[in-house]
Amino acid sequence: MKTKITELLNIKYPVIQGAMAWASDAVLAAAVSNAGGAGIIGSGGRTVDWTRDEIKKARSLTDKAFGVNVMLMATDIDDMVAMLCEEKVTFVTLGAGNPVPFIGKFHSAGVKVIPVVPSVKLAKRIEEAGADAMVIEGMESGGHIGKQTTMALMENVLPLIKKVPALAAGGISDGRAIAAALLMGAEGVQMGSRFLLTTECPAHVKAKEAIVKATDTDSAATGFSRNMGVRCLTNAFTRKYTEKEVNGAPNEELMALGTGTNKLGIIDGDTENGTVMCGQSLNVLNDILPCKDVMERLMKETKAAFERAGKIEI
C-alpha cells in the first residue's frame, strides 16, 4: 500500500503507532516497525537518558524506521530535543505545546517532524512552518484530547491542507476505519489502543484485560469542561475526578488528583484507582495479539473495506 506517508517514512503500510505514556517503549516500537508500520517511543514522563537508551535498544531490534513522541511542555524539553537531534531519529511527533519553534531544529539534524494538531488554525500554522506531515487527532482517542471528533477534523482540515500529508487519529481501531480515513483524504492513520493490546506492549495484563472486557460506553473524558480532557476507561478514579470537576474543584486540585494515575493503571495494573487511557472504539478491541498479526489483520480489513466500497453503485 503506497501513500505519501509510506513514501515519507519508507514504510510498508500507512500506519504509525500512537505514543502511549509508560506503554510505548523500544520493544513495542520495534515490533510495530518490523510489522510494516512505524513504531514510536513515548518520552512523556521519561528522562532524556531513558529515551536515549530506548532509541539504542530499538535500533538493536529493527532496521526499520521508528520515531519518538515529544511532550513540548516537559521541563527538560531543550535537553530532549538536543538528544533526539544528536541521535538523528527518523522522525518525531510533537504534542502538548507549540511545535513551530522546534521544526527548524529538527530539520537541521535531518529529523522529520510530524506535529499532532486538534484544529484548522494549528494545521495551517504547521503547514506554513514546513512540517513534514501532521496527525489530526480527534477526541475519540485515548489520553489527552481536544474538542473535535475525528470525522469533524477530517471534514474541516483535510480539504484545506495542500502541502503536508495528514494522518488521522482518534477512535481508529480496525481496518474499516483505516479505509474510511484514506477515502476521506488522509494519507495514513495513527493508532494507539490497538497496539496497546499486543504481546509486545509492556502494559500490565490487567489493564489489557480491562480494555478487552470494555464495551462502547465504558470510556470517560475527565477534565473536558476545563479544557484539559483525558480519555480513559470509566472506573472509581474517573467517577471521583468527575464529581470534583462538576462541583467546582480548582484545576490545581484536579491535576494533583490525576498525578501518577497513568502509571498506576497501565504499569501497576490498578484498573480502579489508576487510569487506563484508551480510545472510544472499544468493541473491536477484543484480543491481545503480536504486532505482526495485528498489522496483517488491519491490512486485510482495509482491503476488504475498499472492495466493499468498490461495489457501491454511483
Side-chain angles (χ1 to χ4, degrees):
M1 187 180 297
K2 290 185 178 181
T3 71
K4 292 178 181 179
I5 289 296
T6 63
E7 294 175 355
L8 176 70
L9 300 179
N10 192 27
I11 55 179
K12 187 175 182 180
Y13 304 124
V15 177
I16 70 173
Q17 164 231 321
M20 300 163 286
W22 297 100
S24 300
D25 63 1
V27 173
L28 177 60
V32 173
S33 294
N34 286 333
I40 292 178
I41 295 168
S43 69
R46 305 289 196 170
T47 66
V48 173
D49 288 341
W50 180 90
T51 307
R52 187 196 299 272
D53 289 344
E54 290 299 296
I55 291 169
K56 294 181 182 300
K57 184 175 181 180
R59 285 176 171 152
S60 73
L61 297 172
T62 184
D63 59 358
K64 309 296 184 183
F66 65 88
V68 175
N69 174 257
V70 183
M71 299 290 285
L72 298 175
M73 64 188 295
T75 56
D76 61 352
I77 183 60
D78 291 333
D79 292 339
M80 184 69 74
V81 171
M83 181 275 291
L84 294 172
C85 289
E86 181 182 326
E87 290 293 332
K88 298 187 182 298
V89 294
T90 303
F91 70 98
V92 292
T93 58
L94 306 179
N98 179 15
V100 173
F102 299 94
I103 293 175
K105 294 179 182 179
F106 282 118
H107 280 172
S108 65
V111 177
K112 296 180 176 66
V113 181
I114 306 178
V116 179
V117 302
S119 66
V120 167
K121 182 178 180 179
L122 186 55
K124 288 182 174 180
R125 286 183 62 201
I126 295 307
E127 182 178 43
E128 292 306 314
D132 298 281
M134 68 178 71
V135 177
I136 54 174
E137 184 174 63
M139 61 179 288
E140 299 95 325
S141 64
H144 295 274
I145 59 174
K147 294 288 188 180
Q148 295 188 62
T149 65
T150 303
M151 177 61 76
L153 276 173
M154 289 194 293
E155 288 273 23
N156 293 331
V157 175
L158 292 176
L160 301 179
I161 302 302
K162 306 298 184 183
K163 306 174 187 175
V164 177
L167 300 104
I172 297 176
S173 294
D174 66 6
R176 296 172 304 159
I178 295 174
L182 294 174
L183 286 170
M184 287 285 292
E187 296 290 337
V189 300
Q190 176 178 279
M191 306 177 74
S193 302
R194 178 57 266 188
F195 291 111
L196 193 63
L197 295 187
T198 56
T199 56
E200 295 92 345
C201 178
H204 197 286
V205 64
K206 289 184 178 179
K208 295 179 182 181
E209 289 174 349
I211 296 172
V212 169
K213 293 176 182 176
T215 190
D216 57 341
T217 55
D218 287 343
S219 78
T222 60
F224 193 72
S225 67
R226 308 290 182 88
N227 290 321
M228 51 186 195
V230 175
R231 184 174 302 286
C232 47
L233 290 185
T234 303
N235 61 8
F237 167 78
T238 64
R239 290 188 287 271
K240 179 179 180 180
Y241 188 108
T242 301
E243 181 180 3
K244 288 182 175 293
E245 180 183 349
V246 299
N247 286 327
N251 286 354
E252 294 78 11
E253 180 180 346
L254 294 176
M255 293 177 68
L257 182 63
T259 300
T261 55
N262 190 21
K263 181 177 181 292
L264 184 63
I266 288 293
I267 299 301
D268 298 338
D270 187 343
T271 59
E272 277 301 310
N273 300 300
T275 55
V276 179
M277 297 182 184
C278 61
Q280 275 189 303
S281 296
L282 289 163
N283 280 49
V284 295
L285 298 175
N286 48 34
D287 51 14
I288 302 167
L289 300 169
C291 287
K292 181 177 182 294
D293 294 348
V294 167
M295 193 69 76
E296 289 177 354
R297 178 195 287 177
L298 289 173
M299 291 304 105
K300 183 177 180 180
E301 292 170 343
T302 304
K303 181 180 178 181
F306 276 121
E307 289 175 349
R308 285 194 300 272
K311 295 177 182 178
I312 298 175
E313 292 187 13
I314 301 175

mmCIF file of all heavy atoms in Angstrom, residues 27 32-33 73 82 122-123 129 158 172 185 188 200 202 205 214 230 237 242-243 264-265 269 273 277 296 302 308:
data_model
loop_
_atom_site.group_PDB
_atom_site.id
_atom_site.type_symbol
_atom_site.label_atom_id
_atom_site.label_comp_id
_atom_site.label_asym_id
_atom_site.label_seq_id
_atom_site.Cartn_x
_atom_site.Cartn_y
_atom_site.Cartn_z
ATOM 1 N N VAL A 27 10.680 -2.012 22.650
ATOM 2 C CA VAL A 27 10.209 -3.317 22.192
ATOM 3 C C VAL A 27 8.942 -3.170 21.357
ATOM 4 O O VAL A 27 8.820 -3.758 20.274
ATOM 5 C CB VAL A 27 9.970 -4.254 23.391
ATOM 6 C CG1 VAL A 27 9.325 -5.563 22.933
ATOM 7 C CG2 VAL A 27 11.284 -4.545 24.109
ATOM 8 N N VAL A 32 6.225 -2.880 15.971
ATOM 9 C CA VAL A 32 5.326 -2.241 15.006
ATOM 10 C C VAL A 32 6.071 -1.953 13.709
ATOM 11 O O VAL A 32 5.548 -2.184 12.607
ATOM 12 C CB VAL A 32 4.731 -0.946 15.592
ATOM 13 C CG1 VAL A 32 3.932 -0.192 14.534
ATOM 14 C CG2 VAL A 32 3.838 -1.259 16.789
ATOM 15 N N SER A 33 7.294 -1.467 13.810
ATOM 16 C CA SER A 33 8.080 -1.174 12.611
ATOM 17 C C SER A 33 8.397 -2.449 11.832
ATOM 18 O O SER A 33 8.312 -2.479 10.601
ATOM 19 C CB SER A 33 9.366 -0.442 12.990
ATOM 20 O OG SER A 33 9.089 0.835 13.529
ATOM 21 N N MET A 73 5.688 20.377 26.596
ATOM 22 C CA MET A 73 5.559 21.055 27.881
ATOM 23 C C MET A 73 6.521 20.496 28.932
ATOM 24 O O MET A 73 6.565 20.985 30.064
ATOM 25 C CB MET A 73 4.117 20.909 28.403
ATOM 26 C CG MET A 73 3.713 19.483 28.694
ATOM 27 S SD MET A 73 1.944 19.304 29.090
ATOM 28 C CE MET A 73 1.850 20.220 30.620
ATOM 29 N N ALA A 82 17.753 18.265 21.976
ATOM 30 C CA ALA A 82 19.172 18.164 21.627
ATOM 31 C C ALA A 82 19.595 16.708 21.488
ATOM 32 O O ALA A 82 20.335 16.343 20.554
ATOM 33 C CB ALA A 82 20.015 18.863 22.693
ATOM 34 N N LEU A 122 -4.281 25.494 13.879
ATOM 35 C CA LEU A 122 -2.938 24.980 14.103
ATOM 36 C C LEU A 122 -2.439 24.214 12.888
ATOM 37 O O LEU A 122 -1.250 24.270 12.552
ATOM 38 C CB LEU A 122 -2.908 24.084 15.344
ATOM 39 C CG LEU A 122 -1.520 23.585 15.766
ATOM 40 C CD1 LEU A 122 -0.550 24.741 15.961
ATOM 41 C CD2 LEU A 122 -1.606 22.741 17.035
ATOM 42 N N ALA A 123 -3.340 23.514 12.197
ATOM 43 C CA ALA A 123 -2.941 22.776 10.995
ATOM 44 C C ALA A 123 -2.341 23.724 9.951
ATOM 45 O O ALA A 123 -1.322 23.418 9.323
ATOM 46 C CB ALA A 123 -4.131 22.026 10.415
ATOM 47 N N ALA A 129 4.758 26.384 8.472
ATOM 48 C CA ALA A 129 6.047 26.294 9.166
ATOM 49 C C ALA A 129 6.956 25.225 8.567
ATOM 50 O O ALA A 129 8.123 25.121 8.946
ATOM 51 C CB ALA A 129 5.833 26.027 10.647
ATOM 52 N N LEU A 158 -8.759 18.411 6.208
ATOM 53 C CA LEU A 158 -8.173 17.791 5.015
ATOM 54 C C LEU A 158 -8.358 18.592 3.723
ATOM 55 O O LEU A 158 -7.420 18.683 2.919
ATOM 56 C CB LEU A 158 -8.717 16.365 4.841
ATOM 57 C CG LEU A 158 -8.261 15.366 5.922
ATOM 58 C CD1 LEU A 158 -8.922 14.012 5.716
ATOM 59 C CD2 LEU A 158 -6.747 15.227 5.925
ATOM 60 N N ILE A 172 -9.619 5.072 15.863
ATOM 61 C CA ILE A 172 -9.326 4.204 14.712
ATOM 62 C C ILE A 172 -8.729 2.912 15.249
ATOM 63 O O ILE A 172 -7.580 2.878 15.686
ATOM 64 C CB ILE A 172 -8.369 4.905 13.731
ATOM 65 C CG1 ILE A 172 -9.051 6.161 13.163
ATOM 66 C CG2 ILE A 172 -7.949 3.956 12.607
ATOM 67 C CD1 ILE A 172 -8.181 6.985 12.254
ATOM 68 N N GLY A 185 -9.298 11.324 2.503
ATOM 69 C CA GLY A 185 -8.185 12.140 2.046
ATOM 70 C C GLY A 185 -6.965 12.112 2.936
ATOM 71 O O GLY A 185 -5.956 12.759 2.630
ATOM 72 N N GLY A 188 -2.709 8.396 5.864
ATOM 73 C CA GLY A 188 -2.384 7.321 6.790
ATOM 74 C C GLY A 188 -3.125 7.533 8.094
ATOM 75 O O GLY A 188 -3.936 8.460 8.226
ATOM 76 N N GLU A 200 3.722 -7.499 22.712
ATOM 77 C CA GLU A 200 4.970 -6.766 22.901
ATOM 78 C C GLU A 200 4.804 -5.530 23.794
ATOM 79 O O GLU A 200 5.788 -4.989 24.283
ATOM 80 C CB GLU A 200 5.533 -6.326 21.544
ATOM 81 C CG GLU A 200 5.957 -7.470 20.650
ATOM 82 C CD GLU A 200 4.836 -7.932 19.720
ATOM 83 O OE1 GLU A 200 3.664 -7.555 19.978
ATOM 84 O OE2 GLU A 200 5.117 -8.643 18.743
ATOM 85 N N PRO A 202 4.298 -3.331 27.011
ATOM 86 C CA PRO A 202 4.608 -3.611 28.414
ATOM 87 C C PRO A 202 3.470 -3.303 29.381
ATOM 88 O O PRO A 202 3.639 -3.437 30.594
ATOM 89 C CB PRO A 202 5.812 -2.700 28.681
ATOM 90 C CG PRO A 202 5.586 -1.532 27.792
ATOM 91 C CD PRO A 202 4.995 -2.119 26.535
ATOM 92 N N VAL A 205 -1.116 -6.831 32.320
ATOM 93 C CA VAL A 205 -2.150 -7.695 31.760
ATOM 94 C C VAL A 205 -3.532 -7.298 32.253
ATOM 95 O O VAL A 205 -4.531 -7.419 31.527
ATOM 96 C CB VAL A 205 -1.852 -9.181 32.080
ATOM 97 C CG1 VAL A 205 -1.903 -9.439 33.589
ATOM 98 C CG2 VAL A 205 -2.821 -10.098 31.335
ATOM 99 N N ALA A 214 -14.190 -4.174 28.015
ATOM 100 C CA ALA A 214 -14.971 -2.944 27.943
ATOM 101 C C ALA A 214 -15.908 -2.930 26.735
ATOM 102 O O ALA A 214 -15.635 -3.560 25.715
ATOM 103 C CB ALA A 214 -14.038 -1.743 27.889
ATOM 104 N N VAL A 230 -8.928 14.243 29.315
ATOM 105 C CA VAL A 230 -8.165 12.999 29.184
ATOM 106 C C VAL A 230 -9.161 11.854 29.112
ATOM 107 O O VAL A 230 -10.013 11.705 29.984
ATOM 108 C CB VAL A 230 -7.221 12.791 30.388
ATOM 109 C CG1 VAL A 230 -6.530 11.438 30.285
ATOM 110 C CG2 VAL A 230 -6.195 13.909 30.471
ATOM 111 N N PHE A 237 -11.621 5.940 39.868
ATOM 112 C CA PHE A 237 -10.897 7.204 39.755
ATOM 113 C C PHE A 237 -11.673 8.215 38.916
ATOM 114 O O PHE A 237 -11.809 9.380 39.314
ATOM 115 C CB PHE A 237 -9.516 6.993 39.133
ATOM 116 C CG PHE A 237 -8.876 8.290 38.712
ATOM 117 C CD1 PHE A 237 -8.291 9.119 39.646
ATOM 118 C CD2 PHE A 237 -8.912 8.696 37.386
ATOM 119 C CE1 PHE A 237 -7.735 10.341 39.270
ATOM 120 C CE2 PHE A 237 -8.361 9.912 37.000
ATOM 121 C CZ PHE A 237 -7.770 10.732 37.941
ATOM 122 N N THR A 242 -14.580 13.199 38.255
ATOM 123 C CA THR A 242 -15.706 13.908 37.658
ATOM 124 C C THR A 242 -16.574 14.582 38.713
ATOM 125 O O THR A 242 -17.068 15.702 38.512
ATOM 126 C CB THR A 242 -16.553 12.941 36.816
ATOM 127 O OG1 THR A 242 -15.733 12.364 35.788
ATOM 128 C CG2 THR A 242 -17.721 13.664 36.157
ATOM 129 N N GLU A 243 -16.748 13.928 39.833
ATOM 130 C CA GLU A 243 -17.531 14.532 40.915
ATOM 131 C C GLU A 243 -16.882 15.832 41.378
ATOM 132 O O GLU A 243 -17.562 16.851 41.576
ATOM 133 C CB GLU A 243 -17.649 13.564 42.089
ATOM 134 C CG GLU A 243 -18.481 14.106 43.245
ATOM 135 C CD GLU A 243 -18.592 13.133 44.394
ATOM 136 O OE1 GLU A 243 -17.984 12.040 44.336
ATOM 137 O OE2 GLU A 243 -19.297 13.466 45.375
ATOM 138 N N LEU A 264 0.010 4.025 37.520
ATOM 139 C CA LEU A 264 -0.705 3.138 38.438
ATOM 140 C C LEU A 264 -1.619 2.188 37.684
ATOM 141 O O LEU A 264 -1.710 1.000 38.014
ATOM 142 C CB LEU A 264 -1.514 3.978 39.435
ATOM 143 C CG LEU A 264 -2.267 3.229 40.536
ATOM 144 C CD1 LEU A 264 -1.296 2.493 41.455
ATOM 145 C CD2 LEU A 264 -3.134 4.204 41.340
ATOM 146 N N GLY A 265 -2.285 2.688 36.661
ATOM 147 C CA GLY A 265 -3.207 1.849 35.904
ATOM 148 C C GLY A 265 -2.526 0.982 34.861
ATOM 149 O O GLY A 265 -2.753 -0.229 34.795
ATOM 150 N N GLY A 269 -1.223 -2.004 37.097
ATOM 151 C CA GLY A 269 -2.412 -2.835 36.936
ATOM 152 C C GLY A 269 -3.556 -2.531 37.879
ATOM 153 O O GLY A 269 -4.488 -3.330 38.004
ATOM 154 N N ASN A 273 -8.192 2.477 40.587
ATOM 155 C CA ASN A 273 -7.692 3.732 41.136
ATOM 156 C C ASN A 273 -6.705 4.436 40.203
ATOM 157 O O ASN A 273 -6.386 5.604 40.412
ATOM 158 C CB ASN A 273 -7.025 3.474 42.488
ATOM 159 C CG ASN A 273 -7.994 2.869 43.485
ATOM 160 O OD1 ASN A 273 -9.011 3.461 43.816
ATOM 161 N ND2 ASN A 273 -7.702 1.666 43.963
ATOM 162 N N MET A 277 -5.754 4.636 29.835
ATOM 163 C CA MET A 277 -6.081 5.509 28.719
ATOM 164 C C MET A 277 -6.251 4.702 27.440
ATOM 165 O O MET A 277 -5.358 3.955 27.043
ATOM 166 C CB MET A 277 -4.992 6.562 28.542
ATOM 167 C CG MET A 277 -4.847 7.493 29.721
ATOM 168 S SD MET A 277 -3.566 8.754 29.433
ATOM 169 C CE MET A 277 -3.564 9.572 31.029
ATOM 170 N N GLU A 296 -1.307 -7.545 10.044
ATOM 171 C CA GLU A 296 -1.847 -8.356 8.949
ATOM 172 C C GLU A 296 -3.372 -8.305 8.938
ATOM 173 O O GLU A 296 -3.992 -8.202 7.873
ATOM 174 C CB GLU A 296 -1.364 -9.794 9.090
ATOM 175 C CG GLU A 296 0.120 -9.965 8.775
ATOM 176 C CD GLU A 296 0.604 -11.386 8.995
ATOM 177 O OE1 GLU A 296 -0.189 -12.219 9.502
ATOM 178 O OE2 GLU A 296 1.772 -11.666 8.646
ATOM 179 N N THR A 302 -8.696 -3.547 5.848
ATOM 180 C CA THR A 302 -8.675 -2.356 4.996
ATOM 181 C C THR A 302 -8.973 -2.716 3.555
ATOM 182 O O THR A 302 -9.782 -2.057 2.878
ATOM 183 C CB THR A 302 -7.304 -1.654 5.085
ATOM 184 O OG1 THR A 302 -7.015 -1.335 6.444
ATOM 185 C CG2 THR A 302 -7.287 -0.387 4.261
ATOM 186 N N ARG A 308 -15.539 -3.526 -0.694
ATOM 187 C CA ARG A 308 -16.973 -3.246 -0.499
ATOM 188 C C ARG A 308 -17.336 -1.896 -1.084
ATOM 189 O O ARG A 308 -18.376 -1.732 -1.721
ATOM 190 C CB ARG A 308 -17.323 -3.264 0.989
ATOM 191 C CG ARG A 308 -17.386 -4.656 1.599
ATOM 192 C CD ARG A 308 -18.061 -4.638 2.965
ATOM 193 N NE ARG A 308 -17.356 -3.796 3.924
ATOM 194 C CZ ARG A 308 -16.360 -4.218 4.701
ATOM 195 N NH1 ARG A 308 -15.924 -5.475 4.610
ATOM 196 N NH2 ARG A 308 -15.776 -3.396 5.547
#
